[in-house]
Amino acid sequence: MFNCKESIDSLLPFLEGEMSPEDEEHLRQHLNGCPPCVEFVNTYRATSGLCRKALVKSMPPEVAGRLRAYLRSKLETK
Ligand SMILES: [Zn+2]
């Protein structure tokens, strides 16, 4: 089963629909027992575009760093 860090690592591929079924199963198992991670997924999904930047500000630093790097990589490929 994933721990929180692994779940965060896999969260963005999951939300983008780019996750393998095996990893998705690991993530779902983690979410079953980890309300903070579920909360983050729900909040992220309910947020779009610029609002996600506000969400990033309220995240733990490690999560925020990963998401910022992800968004930056997305922007740079366009
Ligand atoms: Zn967790």
Side-chain angles (χ1 to χ4, degrees):
M1 200 201 284
F2 283 180
N3 58 31
C4 283
K5 186 176 178 296
E6 288 167 332
S7 295
I8 291 164
D9 284 342
S10 65
L11 206 52
L12 293 168
F14 174 69
L15 291 166
E16 297 288 327
E18 296 168 352
M19 181 177 252
S20 72
E22 191 179 295
D23 280 354
E24 187 172 330
E25 181 60 29
H26 284 301
L27 180 60
R28 287 186 192 284
Q29 283 176 16
H30 178 79
L31 293 177
N32 274 338
C34 190
C37 283
V38 173
E39 183 68 19
F40 177 75
V41 172
N42 289 340
T43 306
Y44 190 91
R45 277 182 166 162
T47 314
S48 66
L50 292 174
C51 293
R52 284 181 177 168
K53 290 184 179 174
L55 176 63
V56 169
K57 287 182 181 174
S58 64
M59 269 193 260
E62 182 182 303
V63 183
R66 287 179 185 283
L67 185 58
R68 213 175 288 128
Y70 170 80
L71 292 173
R72 201 181 302 131
S73 72
K74 278 277 191 184
L75 289 172
E76 283 173 358
T77 58
K78 284 184 179 170

